[in-house]
Amino acid sequence: MAAHIRDYQGGRVAFVGIGGCSMSGLAGLMKELGYQVTGSDRTASHKTEHLEAQGIPVSIGHRPENVRGADLVVYTAAIPSDNPERAEARRLGIPQLERATLLGQLMEGYTQAVGVSGTHGKTTTTAMLSQVFVECGVRPTVHIGGELDAVGGSTLLGDKEFFITEACEFAGSFWQFKPTIALILNIDEDHLDFYKDIDDIENAFHRFAGLTPQEDGWVVGWGDDKRVRNVMERSNRHTRSYGLSPHNELRAEQLSYDELGRAHFTATLFGHPLCEVDLAVSGAHNVLNALAAIAVSSICQLPMQQVASSLSRFTGAHRRFELTSVTDGVNVYQDYGHNPAEIKNALSIAKLQPHRTLWAVWQPHTYSRTKKLFSQFLDAFHDADQVLVTDICAAREQDPGDIASSMLIQPLRDHGSPAHLTPSFDDAEAFLRAHWQPGDLVVTLGCGDIDLLNEQIKLHGDTPGK
């Protein structure tokens, strides 16, 4: 029988891989709940520094002694079973929980637990929902795979009425959750190192939807995505569809955009107006994210005018088309987008901003994703004027020897995207500084550590003599 976190109240919980987005937030949440928290990670980062500032000791490097004396070990799906800390926990008989199992256990007992799933858009929509709930005066418990100023970071401990969390499909993580509302933003190809094909992915989301209570559970989804619609129709749960097409129950009507791509629309439910919405974030995909947030808010009976007011103040989570510096007169942004749809969305927003040349700097994430979605990536950069490609971020994977960033350059050029290989961040920065001009716009793309490129550009400041 698996361990349960409630049985270790006040005990020491050791997090293996504590520096990750989700793990660092969970570690902070566990400390607030009264647990003694320690952790380890491969490398130091802003996340580990922030945890230590919260009074959570972090060891850099994975060593057996890091888990000795712990009552429970928590690890991510990316940490293999032969990791020295997991192996030592096994030797000592210390129970272990995978991150998603812990998160699912924390969701238990809430009146409404919202799991925000989908191949892309999870962090932005979870952040939108979290800000809306907080600003509507309820006290949600929140877990976001990014950071949001409105909740003071990536997690927030609230009361026992509402729990809002991202629900990631990687390795079936979201099957461990206990949602009462399953929100499905979209279903596309990704994580094909785990899933067989797109039908297998759709079935994974169907299984996630089936975790909601049969009597009063809800499945909310983008009704213009045929696979999301299939899941809703098969779910045997209450459903709420949103989108732009007439067959959706919740729609954006009288939709218009300003010159920066920020939307104004009337949200209607079954044809009846709910609220007028003016978004501060750009892009058609953010209209869908806002509709998803409105759909869940209406089920949870939040006041619609306050929901709309909160959405008008939402400016995004960190690392989601975030301006990091103005260097040499160039606006430098970062975006977490790492699959083709997310990259297209980020570049569509970038194209709307005033600029001369639009530079995309892409750090491909994992060998398997780069191989499996190779052709889709080639079509993702049409809005960029110039594309720089860094080395692939291996993350949890070993180099298979049959894929490298150098293999992307000519195919990208053949697809109309002027591409250049800049293997390291130093290479990318040197190339940018040698070629950019005042008025240009740079956006870095990836979910690895490419944010460090933005940091070093800001740190180095304007180029001497330019």
Side-chain angles (χ1 to χ4, degrees):
M1 185 173 176
H4 198 291
I5 190 60
R6 64 171 173 250
D7 297 328
Y8 300 91
Q9 184 66 46
R12 180 185 153 207
V13 182
F15 282 74
V16 185
I18 198 169
C21 287
S22 178
M23 288 282 275
S24 60
L26 275 174
L29 194 60
M30 295 295 290
K31 187 174 191 298
E32 282 194 79
L33 287 168
Y35 295 85
Q36 301 171 49
V37 178
T38 62
S40 63
D41 213 301
R42 231 176 8 176
T43 55
S45 65
H46 290 313
K47 290 257 193 293
T48 60
E49 290 169 6
H50 180 65
L51 288 166
E52 291 192 308
Q54 292 177 265
I56 296 174
V58 178
S59 300
I60 302 305
H62 293 302
R63 294 179 295 275
E65 57 266 29
N66 291 339
V67 299
R68 290 173 191 159
D71 298 293
L72 180 70
V73 167
V74 176
Y75 63 95
T76 73
I79 302 291
S81 61
D82 62 355
N83 171 277
E85 294 176 25
R86 290 194 61 196
E88 181 70 356
R90 232 177 4 257
R91 186 183 75 81
L92 296 173
I94 302 171
Q96 301 184 50
L97 278 181
E98 200 275 322
R99 175 204 66 86
T101 303
L102 170 63
L103 189 49
Q105 292 176 358
L106 293 175
M107 293 174 76
E108 295 172 3
Y110 284 81
T111 306
Q112 293 283 23
V114 184
V116 181
S117 71
T119 317
H120 46 90
K122 292 185 291 293
T123 296
T124 296
T125 306
T126 307
M128 272 187 179
L129 266 173
S130 301
Q131 181 164 322
V132 163
F133 274 62
V134 167
E135 294 185 352
C136 282
V138 297
R139 289 175 43 80
T141 295
V142 170
H143 179 266
I144 308 173
E147 295 191 358
L148 177 68
D149 291 341
V151 302
S154 61
T155 56
L156 178 68
L157 181 60
D159 58 29
K160 293 295 285 186
E161 187 174 8
F162 298 109
F163 194 109
I164 303 169
T165 185
E166 283 188 42
C168 181
E169 75 279 11
F170 170 66
S173 291
F174 59 178
W175 297 334
Q176 307 300 321
F177 289 5
K178 308 290 193 304
T180 63
I181 300 174
L183 173 57
I184 307 175
L185 305 176
N186 39 64
I187 300 176
D188 291 328
E189 286 185 308
D190 204 355
H191 301 303
L192 291 171
D193 53 334
F194 179 78
Y195 296 105
K196 289 185 298 186
D197 52 29
I198 187 63
D199 292 330
D200 194 26
I201 295 170
E202 180 183 319
N203 287 330
F205 281 90
H206 175 62
R207 180 173 167 183
F208 170 65
L211 298 174
T212 59
Q214 191 151 15
E215 292 296 317
D216 55 0
W218 283 84
V219 181
V220 179
W222 179 28
D224 299 325
D225 182 316
K226 68 176 183 179
R227 292 188 179 276
V228 175
R229 199 163 60 247
N230 288 345
V231 170
M232 288 194 289
E233 289 170 355
R234 295 164 57 198
S235 70
N236 195 28
R237 303 294 192 273
H238 299 293
T239 61
R240 175 67 43 84
S241 66
Y242 65 85
L244 304 183
S245 300
H247 64 258
N248 289 295
E249 297 160 350
L250 192 142
R251 297 194 297 274
E253 299 191 17
Q254 299 174 316
L255 174 62
S256 62
Y257 296 90
D258 69 11
E259 68 280 2
L260 294 180
R262 297 172 299 200
H264 170 84
F265 61 90
T266 302
T268 66
L269 182 60
F270 300 111
H272 301 292
L274 289 179
C275 54
E276 298 287 318
V277 181
D278 287 287
L279 294 180
V281 286
S282 302
H285 60 288
N286 275 319
V287 174
L288 296 176
N289 293 338
L291 285 174
I294 292 167
V296 171
S297 298
S298 69
I299 291 169
C300 294
Q301 300 183 327
L302 299 187
M304 283 296 109
Q305 295 309 314
Q306 286 182 250
V307 170
S309 178
S310 180
L311 287 173
S312 72
R313 292 187 292 273
F314 178 78
T315 56
H318 292 298
R319 286 194 76 178
R320 271 66 184 178
F321 201 71
E322 179 183 21
L323 181 68
T324 57
S325 72
V326 180
T327 304
D328 289 347
V330 176
N331 287 340
V332 183
Y333 289 82
Q334 61 178 347
D335 192 88
Y336 201 71
H338 54 282
N339 65 35
E342 291 171 337
I343 289 171
K344 284 182 182 178
N345 286 340
L347 292 176
S348 71
I349 294 174
K351 190 175 182 180
L352 292 169
Q353 314 308 307
H355 67 276
R356 293 177 57 179
T357 299
L358 172 54
W359 298 83
V361 187
W362 175 38
Q363 182 190 44
H365 190 258
T366 71
Y367 302 104
S368 60
R369 179 183 282 114
T370 307
K371 283 198 296 185
K372 295 283 180 62
L373 302 181
F374 192 96
S375 62
Q376 295 178 45
F377 280 123
L378 299 182
D379 291 323
F381 292 90
H382 291 312
D383 281 337
D385 299 310
Q386 298 287 335
V387 181
L388 307 187
V389 184
T390 74
D391 283 339
I392 295 171
C393 176
R396 57 190 176 270
E397 297 181 344
Q398 297 296 316
D399 185 350
D402 60 355
I403 184 68
S405 292
S406 58
M407 299 165 65
L408 291 156
I409 303 305
Q410 191 57 50
L412 280 167
R413 291 173 180 170
D414 292 342
H415 278 67
S417 298
H420 314 272
L421 181 65
T422 52
S424 71
F425 296 158
D426 287 343
D427 295 330
E429 181 181 8
F431 193 100
L432 287 169
R433 288 181 181 273
H435 295 90
W436 67 19
Q437 298 294 325
D440 287 358
L441 187 152
V442 173
V443 56
T444 65
L445 297 154
C447 65
D449 59 356
I450 195 167
D451 57 314
L452 298 177
L453 172 58
N454 295 72
E455 287 189 17
Q456 71 181 54
I457 288 173
K458 182 178 181 179
L459 179 67
H460 295 158
D462 290 340
T463 308
K466 265 206 167 187

